């Protein structure tokens, strides 16, 4: 695990575990952990799962956009699964962050084909992003 550090990008407060486990999966035939890997507390109003049910705050949108861009840039580590879903999230969350005057995440799409699809989806996803802001974005 010391050779595969968890990414800690500036301004991002949550990085999905798939970022690290996908990398480990490609390097080793099997891996074992002697720790509990995931604990979600649901008893409190501030728990991750309860807040996600109410809507998405700007920080969680920023975190999710970073993770999606990372996964798209590192398909060799993570695989190409859910490609279209990740790309649509990146475009839509870019609109949300721009309209809410949120700082950029400091990571960009690297592959030319990703940039091309980003440009193709940019204008058609504007109404979806507007609807998402009205219905799902919450201010904490």
């Amino acid at each position: 695990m010391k050779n595969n550090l968890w990414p800690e990008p500036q301004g991002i407060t949550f990085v999905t575990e798939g970022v690290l486990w996908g990398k480990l999966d490609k390097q080793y035939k099997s891996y074992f952990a002697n720790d509990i890997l995931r604990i979600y507390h649901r008893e409190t109003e501030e728990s991750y799962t309860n807040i996600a049910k109410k809507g998405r705050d700007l920080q969680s949108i920023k975190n999710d956009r970073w993770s999606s861009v990372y996964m798209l840039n590192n398909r060799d580590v993570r695989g190409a699964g859910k490609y279209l879903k990740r790309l649509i999230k990146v475009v839509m969350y870019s609109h949300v962050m721009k309209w809410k005057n949120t700082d950029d995440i400091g990571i960009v799409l690297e592959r030319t084909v990703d940039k091309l699809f980003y440009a193709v989806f940019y204008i058609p996803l504007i109404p979806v992003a507007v609807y998402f802001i009205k219905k799902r974005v919450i201010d904490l």
Side-chain angles (χ1 to χ4, degrees):
M1 292 295 281
K2 291 181 182 178
N3 295 333
N4 299 292
L5 299 177
W6 202 279
E8 296 180 18
Q10 186 176 0
I12 304 301
T13 58
F14 176 80
V15 176
T16 180
E17 59 270 3
V19 169
L20 181 62
W21 291 114
K23 187 176 177 183
L24 291 174
D25 189 40
K26 294 293 182 188
Q27 289 181 348
Y28 303 102
K29 290 184 180 180
S30 61
Y31 49 84
F32 304 93
N34 198 17
D35 295 325
I36 296 173
L37 299 178
R38 185 183 300 182
I39 299 175
Y40 292 127
H41 297 281
R42 305 181 121 193
E43 312 74 56
T44 65
E45 283 294 315
E46 297 85 28
S47 72
Y48 178 75
T49 51
N50 284 336
I51 289 175
K53 287 180 195 173
K54 294 177 189 173
R56 304 293 304 267
D57 66 328
L58 290 176
Q59 185 63 51
S60 69
I61 290 169
K62 193 182 217 185
N63 297 343
D64 200 7
R65 183 175 180 272
W66 184 91
S67 294
S68 295
V69 172
Y70 182 88
M71 298 289 190
L72 289 169
N73 287 343
N74 295 288
R75 275 182 282 212
D76 52 330
V77 172
R78 199 56 200 142
K82 301 180 184 175
Y83 173 78
L84 193 58
K85 179 181 177 182
R86 286 189 182 123
L87 191 61
I88 287 172
K89 280 172 40 173
V90 168
V91 176
M92 189 175 69
Y93 290 165
S94 297
H95 286 305
V96 172
M97 290 171 56
K98 179 181 174 185
W99 294 332
K100 291 290 189 173
N101 296 323
T102 305
D103 296 333
D104 196 15
I105 56 172
I107 187 172
V108 295
L109 294 170
E110 295 172 355
R111 297 175 193 223
T112 305
V113 68
D114 296 340
K115 292 176 185 178
L116 178 66
F117 279 123
Y118 183 95
V120 167
F121 287 122
Y122 190 80
I123 291 176
L125 283 175
I126 289 175
V128 176
V130 170
Y131 178 80
F132 183 80
I133 289 172
K134 288 180 181 177
K135 297 292 183 183
R136 300 285 297 153
V137 176
I138 58 173
D139 294 321
L140 294 178

